[in-house]
PDB file of all heavy atoms in Angstrom:
ATOM      1  N   LEU B  42     -37.537  93.500 115.742  1.00  0.00           N
ATOM      2  CA  LEU B  42     -37.906  93.568 114.324  1.00  0.00           C
ATOM      3  C   LEU B  42     -37.005  92.712 113.356  1.00  0.00           C
ATOM      4  O   LEU B  42     -37.230  92.644 112.186  1.00  0.00           O
ATOM      5  CB  LEU B  42     -37.790  95.049 113.833  1.00  0.00           C
ATOM      6  CG  LEU B  42     -38.955  95.917 114.243  1.00  0.00           C
ATOM      7  CD1 LEU B  42     -38.690  97.425 113.997  1.00  0.00           C
ATOM      8  CD2 LEU B  42     -40.246  95.568 113.513  1.00  0.00           C
ATOM      9  N   GLY B  43     -35.938  92.190 113.956  1.00  0.00           N
ATOM     10  CA  GLY B  43     -35.113  91.360 113.168  1.00  0.00           C
ATOM     11  C   GLY B  43     -34.324  92.122 112.028  1.00  0.00           C
ATOM     12  O   GLY B  43     -34.178  91.762 110.949  1.00  0.00           O
ATOM     13  N   MET B  44     -33.839  93.332 112.475  1.00  0.00           N
ATOM     14  CA  MET B  44     -33.142  94.076 111.462  1.00  0.00           C
ATOM     15  C   MET B  44     -31.723  93.637 111.256  1.00  0.00           C
ATOM     16  O   MET B  44     -31.205  92.866 112.085  1.00  0.00           O
ATOM     17  CB  MET B  44     -33.160  95.619 111.931  1.00  0.00           C
ATOM     18  CG  MET B  44     -34.447  96.293 111.738  1.00  0.00           C
ATOM     19  SD  MET B  44     -34.360  98.078 111.972  1.00  0.00           S
ATOM     20  CE  MET B  44     -35.844  98.520 111.276  1.00  0.00           C
ATOM     21  N   PRO B  45     -31.121  93.920 110.082  1.00  0.00           N
ATOM     22  CA  PRO B  45     -29.799  93.466 109.894  1.00  0.00           C
ATOM     23  C   PRO B  45     -28.812  93.931 111.001  1.00  0.00           C
ATOM     24  O   PRO B  45     -28.788  95.066 111.397  1.00  0.00           O
ATOM     25  CB  PRO B  45     -29.369  94.100 108.566  1.00  0.00           C
ATOM     26  CG  PRO B  45     -30.716  94.615 107.978  1.00  0.00           C
ATOM     27  CD  PRO B  45     -31.596  94.895 109.113  1.00  0.00           C
ATOM     28  N   GLY B  46     -27.947  93.000 111.504  1.00  0.00           N
ATOM     29  CA  GLY B  46     -26.912  93.295 112.456  1.00  0.00           C
ATOM     30  C   GLY B  46     -27.235  93.294 113.878  1.00  0.00           C
ATOM     31  O   GLY B  46     -26.394  93.568 114.660  1.00  0.00           O
ATOM     32  N   PRO B  49     -29.319  89.273 120.080  1.00  0.00           N
ATOM     33  CA  PRO B  49     -30.197  89.043 121.193  1.00  0.00           C
ATOM     34  C   PRO B  49     -29.383  89.018 122.551  1.00  0.00           C
ATOM     35  O   PRO B  49     -28.247  88.532 122.549  1.00  0.00           O
ATOM     36  CB  PRO B  49     -30.759  87.598 120.977  1.00  0.00           C
ATOM     37  CG  PRO B  49     -29.698  86.901 120.222  1.00  0.00           C
ATOM     38  CD  PRO B  49     -28.894  87.895 119.456  1.00  0.00           C
ATOM     39  N   ARG B  78     -31.834  77.551 117.195  1.00  0.00           N
ATOM     40  CA  ARG B  78     -32.779  78.246 116.322  1.00  0.00           C
ATOM     41  C   ARG B  78     -33.644  77.209 115.553  1.00  0.00           C
ATOM     42  O   ARG B  78     -33.198  76.110 115.172  1.00  0.00           O
ATOM     43  CB  ARG B  78     -31.831  78.870 115.121  1.00  0.00           C
ATOM     44  CG  ARG B  78     -31.103  80.129 115.649  1.00  0.00           C
ATOM     45  CD  ARG B  78     -30.488  80.795 114.556  1.00  0.00           C
ATOM     46  NE  ARG B  78     -29.545  81.925 114.921  1.00  0.00           N
ATOM     47  CZ  ARG B  78     -28.826  82.663 114.064  1.00  0.00           C
ATOM     48  NH1 ARG B  78     -28.937  82.503 112.788  1.00  0.00           N
ATOM     49  NH2 ARG B  78     -28.032  83.571 114.623  1.00  0.00           N
ATOM     50  N   ASN B  80     -35.772  77.197 112.257  1.00  0.00           N
ATOM     51  CA  ASN B  80     -35.883  77.961 111.028  1.00  0.00           C
ATOM     52  C   ASN B  80     -37.081  77.705 110.171  1.00  0.00           C
ATOM     53  O   ASN B  80     -37.318  76.597 109.797  1.00  0.00           O
ATOM     54  CB  ASN B  80     -34.548  77.742 110.225  1.00  0.00           C
ATOM     55  CG  ASN B  80     -33.362  78.078 110.915  1.00  0.00           C
ATOM     56  OD1 ASN B  80     -32.931  79.184 110.953  1.00  0.00           O
ATOM     57  ND2 ASN B  80     -32.664  77.017 111.464  1.00  0.00           N
ATOM     58  N   PHE B  82     -40.178  80.049 107.499  1.00  0.00           N
ATOM     59  CA  PHE B  82     -40.579  81.337 107.033  1.00  0.00           C
ATOM     60  C   PHE B  82     -42.099  81.547 107.309  1.00  0.00           C
ATOM     61  O   PHE B  82     -42.913  80.682 107.018  1.00  0.00           O
ATOM     62  CB  PHE B  82     -40.441  81.406 105.507  1.00  0.00           C
ATOM     63  CG  PHE B  82     -39.059  81.506 105.038  1.00  0.00           C
ATOM     64  CD1 PHE B  82     -38.304  80.372 104.838  1.00  0.00           C
ATOM     65  CD2 PHE B  82     -38.434  82.757 104.887  1.00  0.00           C
ATOM     66  CE1 PHE B  82     -36.923  80.431 104.292  1.00  0.00           C
ATOM     67  CE2 PHE B  82     -37.044  82.852 104.415  1.00  0.00           C
ATOM     68  CZ  PHE B  82     -36.342  81.741 104.233  1.00  0.00           C
ATOM     69  N   TYR B  83     -42.380  82.659 108.007  1.00  0.00           N
ATOM     70  CA  TYR B  83     -43.754  83.014 108.155  1.00  0.00           C
ATOM     71  C   TYR B  83     -43.791  84.480 108.511  1.00  0.00           C
ATOM     72  O   TYR B  83     -42.897  84.973 109.215  1.00  0.00           O
ATOM     73  CB  TYR B  83     -44.432  82.280 109.341  1.00  0.00           C
ATOM     74  CG  TYR B  83     -45.951  82.129 109.217  1.00  0.00           C
ATOM     75  CD1 TYR B  83     -46.492  81.434 108.091  1.00  0.00           C
ATOM     76  CD2 TYR B  83     -46.820  82.660 110.134  1.00  0.00           C
ATOM     77  CE1 TYR B  83     -47.850  81.335 107.991  1.00  0.00           C
ATOM     78  CE2 TYR B  83     -48.126  82.523 110.099  1.00  0.00           C
ATOM     79  CZ  TYR B  83     -48.723  81.924 108.937  1.00  0.00           C
ATOM     80  OH  TYR B  83     -50.078  81.765 108.832  1.00  0.00           O
ATOM     81  N   PRO B  84     -44.780  85.274 108.035  1.00  0.00           N
ATOM     82  CA  PRO B  84     -44.711  86.739 108.143  1.00  0.00           C
ATOM     83  C   PRO B  84     -44.680  87.262 109.625  1.00  0.00           C
ATOM     84  O   PRO B  84     -44.309  88.409 109.869  1.00  0.00           O
ATOM     85  CB  PRO B  84     -45.975  87.302 107.422  1.00  0.00           C
ATOM     86  CG  PRO B  84     -46.525  86.142 106.650  1.00  0.00           C
ATOM     87  CD  PRO B  84     -45.905  84.887 107.177  1.00  0.00           C
ATOM     88  N   PRO B  87     -40.080  87.714 112.273  1.00  0.00           N
ATOM     89  CA  PRO B  87     -39.181  88.573 111.679  1.00  0.00           C
ATOM     90  C   PRO B  87     -37.787  87.994 111.257  1.00  0.00           C
ATOM     91  O   PRO B  87     -37.269  88.300 110.201  1.00  0.00           O
ATOM     92  CB  PRO B  87     -38.946  89.730 112.704  1.00  0.00           C
ATOM     93  CG  PRO B  87     -40.224  89.706 113.482  1.00  0.00           C
ATOM     94  CD  PRO B  87     -40.625  88.323 113.520  1.00  0.00           C
ATOM     95  N   ALA B  89     -37.034  85.022 110.689  1.00  0.00           N
ATOM     96  CA  ALA B  89     -37.358  83.738 109.915  1.00  0.00           C
ATOM     97  C   ALA B  89     -36.730  82.599 110.716  1.00  0.00           C
ATOM     98  O   ALA B  89     -36.478  81.474 110.119  1.00  0.00           O
ATOM     99  CB  ALA B  89     -36.789  83.810 108.450  1.00  0.00           C
ATOM    100  N   TYR B  90     -36.517  82.723 111.956  1.00  0.00           N
ATOM    101  CA  TYR B  90     -36.154  81.562 112.937  1.00  0.00           C
ATOM    102  C   TYR B  90     -36.749  82.022 114.209  1.00  0.00           C
ATOM    103  O   TYR B  90     -36.767  83.229 114.598  1.00  0.00           O
ATOM    104  CB  TYR B  90     -34.759  81.249 112.909  1.00  0.00           C
ATOM    105  CG  TYR B  90     -33.754  82.283 113.393  1.00  0.00           C
ATOM    106  CD1 TYR B  90     -33.547  82.549 114.738  1.00  0.00           C
ATOM    107  CD2 TYR B  90     -33.062  83.040 112.342  1.00  0.00           C
ATOM    108  CE1 TYR B  90     -32.584  83.487 115.127  1.00  0.00           C
ATOM    109  CE2 TYR B  90     -32.180  83.995 112.869  1.00  0.00           C
ATOM    110  CZ  TYR B  90     -31.913  84.182 114.104  1.00  0.00           C
ATOM    111  OH  TYR B  90     -30.950  85.255 114.505  1.00  0.00           O
ATOM    112  N   ASP B 267     -39.117  71.234 107.877  1.00  0.00           N
ATOM    113  CA  ASP B 267     -37.746  70.801 108.150  1.00  0.00           C
ATOM    114  C   ASP B 267     -37.192  71.944 108.872  1.00  0.00           C
ATOM    115  O   ASP B 267     -36.716  72.953 108.229  1.00  0.00           O
ATOM    116  CB  ASP B 267     -37.010  70.490 106.866  1.00  0.00           C
ATOM    117  CG  ASP B 267     -35.652  69.955 107.188  1.00  0.00           C
ATOM    118  OD1 ASP B 267     -35.072  70.044 108.266  1.00  0.00           O
ATOM    119  OD2 ASP B 267     -35.032  69.393 106.155  1.00  0.00           O
ATOM    120  N   TYR B 270     -32.901  72.764 113.013  1.00  0.00           N
ATOM    121  CA  TYR B 270     -32.446  73.223 114.346  1.00  0.00           C
ATOM    122  C   TYR B 270     -30.956  73.177 114.445  1.00  0.00           C
ATOM    123  O   TYR B 270     -30.293  72.265 114.005  1.00  0.00           O
ATOM    124  CB  TYR B 270     -33.030  72.189 115.438  1.00  0.00           C
ATOM    125  CG  TYR B 270     -34.467  72.371 115.835  1.00  0.00           C
ATOM    126  CD1 TYR B 270     -35.376  71.474 115.317  1.00  0.00           C
ATOM    127  CD2 TYR B 270     -34.821  73.417 116.743  1.00  0.00           C
ATOM    128  CE1 TYR B 270     -36.704  71.626 115.692  1.00  0.00           C
ATOM    129  CE2 TYR B 270     -36.201  73.464 117.073  1.00  0.00           C
ATOM    130  CZ  TYR B 270     -37.110  72.564 116.590  1.00  0.00           C
ATOM    131  OH  TYR B 270     -38.430  72.713 116.911  1.00  0.00           O
ATOM    132  N   ASP B 275     -25.578  83.207 118.604  1.00  0.00           N
ATOM    133  CA  ASP B 275     -25.506  84.488 119.288  1.00  0.00           C
ATOM    134  C   ASP B 275     -25.734  84.482 120.756  1.00  0.00           C
ATOM    135  O   ASP B 275     -25.715  85.573 121.407  1.00  0.00           O
ATOM    136  CB  ASP B 275     -26.497  85.440 118.589  1.00  0.00           C
ATOM    137  CG  ASP B 275     -26.053  85.797 117.115  1.00  0.00           C
ATOM    138  OD1 ASP B 275     -24.855  85.844 116.882  1.00  0.00           O
ATOM    139  OD2 ASP B 275     -26.966  86.050 116.370  1.00  0.00           O
TER     140      ASP B 275
ATOM    141  N   TYR C 103     -30.401 102.756 113.772  1.00  0.00           N
ATOM    142  CA  TYR C 103     -29.421 102.564 114.928  1.00  0.00           C
ATOM    143  C   TYR C 103     -27.963 102.442 114.368  1.00  0.00           C
ATOM    144  O   TYR C 103     -27.788 102.245 113.110  1.00  0.00           O
ATOM    145  CB  TYR C 103     -29.806 101.374 115.781  1.00  0.00           C
ATOM    146  CG  TYR C 103     -29.481 100.109 115.000  1.00  0.00           C
ATOM    147  CD1 TYR C 103     -28.325  99.291 115.502  1.00  0.00           C
ATOM    148  CD2 TYR C 103     -30.330  99.561 114.042  1.00  0.00           C
ATOM    149  CE1 TYR C 103     -28.026  98.223 114.794  1.00  0.00           C
ATOM    150  CE2 TYR C 103     -29.942  98.352 113.461  1.00  0.00           C
ATOM    151  CZ  TYR C 103     -28.800  97.722 113.858  1.00  0.00           C
ATOM    152  OH  TYR C 103     -28.538  96.468 113.183  1.00  0.00           O
ATOM    153  N   ARG C 200     -20.028  92.823 117.912  1.00  0.00           N
ATOM    154  CA  ARG C 200     -20.632  92.465 116.518  1.00  0.00           C
ATOM    155  C   ARG C 200     -22.025  93.268 116.423  1.00  0.00           C
ATOM    156  O   ARG C 200     -22.678  93.101 115.354  1.00  0.00           O
ATOM    157  CB  ARG C 200     -20.900  91.025 116.276  1.00  0.00           C
ATOM    158  CG  ARG C 200     -19.534  90.189 116.142  1.00  0.00           C
ATOM    159  CD  ARG C 200     -19.875  88.813 115.838  1.00  0.00           C
ATOM    160  NE  ARG C 200     -20.622  88.121 116.868  1.00  0.00           N
ATOM    161  CZ  ARG C 200     -21.808  87.554 116.751  1.00  0.00           C
ATOM    162  NH1 ARG C 200     -22.489  87.639 115.568  1.00  0.00           N
ATOM    163  NH2 ARG C 200     -22.398  86.959 117.739  1.00  0.00           N
ATOM    164  N   GLY C 202     -24.511  95.385 115.282  1.00  0.00           N
ATOM    165  CA  GLY C 202     -24.594  96.387 114.076  1.00  0.00           C
ATOM    166  C   GLY C 202     -23.800  95.931 112.943  1.00  0.00           C
ATOM    167  O   GLY C 202     -23.820  96.564 111.913  1.00  0.00           O
ATOM    168  N   LEU C 203     -23.040  94.822 113.093  1.00  0.00           N
ATOM    169  CA  LEU C 203     -22.401  94.216 111.883  1.00  0.00           C
ATOM    170  C   LEU C 203     -23.360  93.219 111.402  1.00  0.00           C
ATOM    171  O   LEU C 203     -23.822  92.308 111.974  1.00  0.00           O
ATOM    172  CB  LEU C 203     -21.122  93.450 112.334  1.00  0.00           C
ATOM    173  CG  LEU C 203     -20.378  92.574 111.292  1.00  0.00           C
ATOM    174  CD1 LEU C 203     -19.929  93.458 110.131  1.00  0.00           C
ATOM    175  CD2 LEU C 203     -19.363  91.681 111.907  1.00  0.00           C
ATOM    176  N   SER C 208     -22.258  84.012 112.324  1.00  0.00           N
ATOM    177  CA  SER C 208     -22.222  84.539 113.685  1.00  0.00           C
ATOM    178  C   SER C 208     -21.027  84.096 114.551  1.00  0.00           C
ATOM    179  O   SER C 208     -20.538  84.899 115.335  1.00  0.00           O
ATOM    180  CB  SER C 208     -23.525  84.274 114.478  1.00  0.00           C
ATOM    181  OG  SER C 208     -24.630  84.442 113.616  1.00  0.00           O
ATOM    182  N   GLU C 235     -22.595  95.337 126.126  1.00  0.00           N
ATOM    183  CA  GLU C 235     -23.761  94.589 126.680  1.00  0.00           C
ATOM    184  C   GLU C 235     -24.768  94.154 125.616  1.00  0.00           C
ATOM    185  O   GLU C 235     -25.589  93.303 125.937  1.00  0.00           O
ATOM    186  CB  GLU C 235     -24.332  95.340 127.875  1.00  0.00           C
ATOM    187  CG  GLU C 235     -24.869  96.666 127.424  1.00  0.00           C
ATOM    188  CD  GLU C 235     -25.546  97.383 128.578  1.00  0.00           C
ATOM    189  OE1 GLU C 235     -25.215  96.973 129.722  1.00  0.00           O
ATOM    190  OE2 GLU C 235     -26.334  98.251 128.354  1.00  0.00           O
ATOM    191  N   THR C 238     -23.993  89.438 123.303  1.00  0.00           N
ATOM    192  CA  THR C 238     -23.887  88.367 124.291  1.00  0.00           C
ATOM    193  C   THR C 238     -22.535  87.694 124.135  1.00  0.00           C
ATOM    194  O   THR C 238     -21.848  87.181 125.016  1.00  0.00           O
ATOM    195  CB  THR C 238     -24.941  87.286 124.124  1.00  0.00           C
ATOM    196  OG1 THR C 238     -26.198  87.914 124.385  1.00  0.00           O
ATOM    197  CG2 THR C 238     -24.723  86.158 124.978  1.00  0.00           C
ATOM    198  N   SER C 319     -29.175  80.790 107.775  1.00  0.00           N
ATOM    199  CA  SER C 319     -30.165  81.201 108.755  1.00  0.00           C
ATOM    200  C   SER C 319     -30.148  82.714 109.041  1.00  0.00           C
ATOM    201  O   SER C 319     -31.196  83.340 109.107  1.00  0.00           O
ATOM    202  CB  SER C 319     -29.795  80.524 110.108  1.00  0.00           C
ATOM    203  OG  SER C 319     -30.657  80.853 111.149  1.00  0.00           O
ATOM    204  N   ASN C 320     -28.899  83.389 108.998  1.00  0.00           N
ATOM    205  CA  ASN C 320     -28.907  84.871 109.245  1.00  0.00           C
ATOM    206  C   ASN C 320     -29.504  85.573 108.046  1.00  0.00           C
ATOM    207  O   ASN C 320     -29.953  86.654 108.288  1.00  0.00           O
ATOM    208  CB  ASN C 320     -27.483  85.251 109.370  1.00  0.00           C
ATOM    209  CG  ASN C 320     -26.926  84.860 110.742  1.00  0.00           C
ATOM    210  OD1 ASN C 320     -27.604  84.809 111.725  1.00  0.00           O
ATOM    211  ND2 ASN C 320     -25.563  84.631 110.803  1.00  0.00           N
ATOM    212  N   ALA C 322     -32.151  84.561 106.292  1.00  0.00           N
ATOM    213  CA  ALA C 322     -33.537  84.235 106.082  1.00  0.00           C
ATOM    214  C   ALA C 322     -34.459  85.414 106.324  1.00  0.00           C
ATOM    215  O   ALA C 322     -35.565  85.464 105.866  1.00  0.00           O
ATOM    216  CB  ALA C 322     -33.844  83.010 106.917  1.00  0.00           C
ATOM    217  N   ARG C 323     -33.916  86.355 107.037  1.00  0.00           N
ATOM    218  CA  ARG C 323     -34.767  87.523 107.546  1.00  0.00           C
ATOM    219  C   ARG C 323     -35.070  88.399 106.319  1.00  0.00           C
ATOM    220  O   ARG C 323     -35.932  89.246 106.348  1.00  0.00           O
ATOM    221  CB  ARG C 323     -34.206  88.355 108.607  1.00  0.00           C
ATOM    222  CG  ARG C 323     -32.845  88.958 108.259  1.00  0.00           C
ATOM    223  CD  ARG C 323     -32.217  89.606 109.500  1.00  0.00           C
ATOM    224  NE  ARG C 323     -31.885  88.537 110.422  1.00  0.00           N
ATOM    225  CZ  ARG C 323     -31.520  88.673 111.708  1.00  0.00           C
ATOM    226  NH1 ARG C 323     -31.377  89.908 112.195  1.00  0.00           N
ATOM    227  NH2 ARG C 323     -31.249  87.635 112.465  1.00  0.00           N
ATOM    228  N   TYR C 324     -34.322  88.329 105.163  1.00  0.00           N
ATOM    229  CA  TYR C 324     -34.474  89.131 104.073  1.00  0.00           C
ATOM    230  C   TYR C 324     -35.636  88.653 103.141  1.00  0.00           C
ATOM    231  O   TYR C 324     -35.419  87.735 102.409  1.00  0.00           O
ATOM    232  CB  TYR C 324     -33.210  89.294 103.269  1.00  0.00           C
ATOM    233  CG  TYR C 324     -32.109  89.830 104.184  1.00  0.00           C
ATOM    234  CD1 TYR C 324     -31.038  89.035 104.609  1.00  0.00           C
ATOM    235  CD2 TYR C 324     -32.112  91.132 104.581  1.00  0.00           C
ATOM    236  CE1 TYR C 324     -30.040  89.474 105.488  1.00  0.00           C
ATOM    237  CE2 TYR C 324     -31.200  91.636 105.487  1.00  0.00           C
ATOM    238  CZ  TYR C 324     -30.209  90.783 105.967  1.00  0.00           C
ATOM    239  OH  TYR C 324     -29.205  91.280 106.805  1.00  0.00           O
ATOM    240  N   ARG C 328     -40.241  93.772 106.118  1.00  0.00           N
ATOM    241  CA  ARG C 328     -40.054  94.904 107.022  1.00  0.00           C
ATOM    242  C   ARG C 328     -39.049  95.947 106.503  1.00  0.00           C
ATOM    243  O   ARG C 328     -38.983  97.014 106.976  1.00  0.00           O
ATOM    244  CB  ARG C 328     -39.629  94.442 108.412  1.00  0.00           C
ATOM    245  CG  ARG C 328     -40.660  93.758 109.229  1.00  0.00           C
ATOM    246  CD  ARG C 328     -40.093  92.591 110.059  1.00  0.00           C
ATOM    247  NE  ARG C 328     -39.700  91.502 109.191  1.00  0.00           N
ATOM    248  CZ  ARG C 328     -38.456  91.078 109.066  1.00  0.00           C
ATOM    249  NH1 ARG C 328     -37.552  91.578 109.784  1.00  0.00           N
ATOM    250  NH2 ARG C 328     -38.193  90.122 108.184  1.00  0.00           N
ATOM    251  N   TYR C 329     -38.216  95.650 105.577  1.00  0.00           N
ATOM    252  CA  TYR C 329     -37.225  96.410 105.024  1.00  0.00           C
ATOM    253  C   TYR C 329     -36.645  95.826 103.758  1.00  0.00           C
ATOM    254  O   TYR C 329     -36.793  94.666 103.556  1.00  0.00           O
ATOM    255  CB  TYR C 329     -36.102  96.779 105.998  1.00  0.00           C
ATOM    256  CG  TYR C 329     -35.590  95.551 106.686  1.00  0.00           C
ATOM    257  CD1 TYR C 329     -34.708  94.675 106.059  1.00  0.00           C
ATOM    258  CD2 TYR C 329     -36.014  95.208 108.005  1.00  0.00           C
ATOM    259  CE1 TYR C 329     -34.210  93.560 106.639  1.00  0.00           C
ATOM    260  CE2 TYR C 329     -35.567  94.049 108.592  1.00  0.00           C
ATOM    261  CZ  TYR C 329     -34.650  93.219 107.942  1.00  0.00           C
ATOM    262  OH  TYR C 329     -34.241  92.054 108.563  1.00  0.00           O
ATOM    263  N   TYR C 343     -41.831  85.720  98.908  1.00  0.00           N
ATOM    264  CA  TYR C 343     -40.556  85.292  99.458  1.00  0.00           C
ATOM    265  C   TYR C 343     -39.587  84.867  98.329  1.00  0.00           C
ATOM    266  O   TYR C 343     -38.432  85.340  98.295  1.00  0.00           O
ATOM    267  CB  TYR C 343     -40.744  84.102 100.325  1.00  0.00           C
ATOM    268  CG  TYR C 343     -41.311  84.448 101.750  1.00  0.00           C
ATOM    269  CD1 TYR C 343     -42.389  83.718 102.266  1.00  0.00           C
ATOM    270  CD2 TYR C 343     -40.738  85.356 102.565  1.00  0.00           C
ATOM    271  CE1 TYR C 343     -42.964  83.910 103.513  1.00  0.00           C
ATOM    272  CE2 TYR C 343     -41.260  85.571 103.831  1.00  0.00           C
ATOM    273  CZ  TYR C 343     -42.350  84.933 104.281  1.00  0.00           C
ATOM    274  OH  TYR C 343     -42.833  85.126 105.544  1.00  0.00           O
ATOM    275  N   LEU C 366     -27.753  71.858 107.048  1.00  0.00           N
ATOM    276  CA  LEU C 366     -28.540  71.838 108.246  1.00  0.00           C
ATOM    277  C   LEU C 366     -29.747  70.942 108.108  1.00  0.00           C
ATOM    278  O   LEU C 366     -30.447  70.658 109.058  1.00  0.00           O
ATOM    279  CB  LEU C 366     -29.055  73.245 108.572  1.00  0.00           C
ATOM    280  CG  LEU C 366     -27.971  74.195 109.072  1.00  0.00           C
ATOM    281  CD1 LEU C 366     -28.652  75.593 109.274  1.00  0.00           C
ATOM    282  CD2 LEU C 366     -27.364  73.801 110.437  1.00  0.00           C
ATOM    283  N   SER C 368     -32.754  68.083 107.320  1.00  0.00           N
ATOM    284  CA  SER C 368     -32.950  66.768 107.900  1.00  0.00           C
ATOM    285  C   SER C 368     -32.272  65.639 107.227  1.00  0.00           C
ATOM    286  O   SER C 368     -32.369  65.582 106.043  1.00  0.00           O
ATOM    287  CB  SER C 368     -34.514  66.587 107.812  1.00  0.00           C
ATOM    288  OG  SER C 368     -34.817  65.270 108.132  1.00  0.00           O
ATOM    289  N   TYR C 371     -27.705  66.907 108.849  1.00  0.00           N
ATOM    290  CA  TYR C 371     -27.160  67.765 109.912  1.00  0.00           C
ATOM    291  C   TYR C 371     -25.929  67.059 110.548  1.00  0.00           C
ATOM    292  O   TYR C 371     -24.888  67.689 110.762  1.00  0.00           O
ATOM    293  CB  TYR C 371     -28.204  68.000 110.953  1.00  0.00           C
ATOM    294  CG  TYR C 371     -27.779  68.715 112.162  1.00  0.00           C
ATOM    295  CD1 TYR C 371     -27.802  70.127 112.198  1.00  0.00           C
ATOM    296  CD2 TYR C 371     -27.355  68.047 113.301  1.00  0.00           C
ATOM    297  CE1 TYR C 371     -27.376  70.788 113.335  1.00  0.00           C
ATOM    298  CE2 TYR C 371     -26.928  68.756 114.442  1.00  0.00           C
ATOM    299  CZ  TYR C 371     -26.950  70.146 114.443  1.00  0.00           C
ATOM    300  OH  TYR C 371     -26.512  70.845 115.531  1.00  0.00           O
TER     301      TYR C 371
END
Side-chain angles (χ1 to χ4, degrees):
Chain B
L42 280 168
M44 286 193 161
R78 292 192 187 177
N80 299 279
F82 288 90
Y83 206 62
Y90 58 85
D267 183 345
Y270 284 100
D275 291 330
Chain C
Y103 73 101
R200 289 185 299 120
L203 168 66
S208 317
E235 59 179 19
T238 298
S319 178
N320 285 329
R323 64 189 63 192
Y324 302 106
R328 286 144 293 116
Y329 46 79
Y343 283 127
L366 290 174
S368 172
Y371 177 87

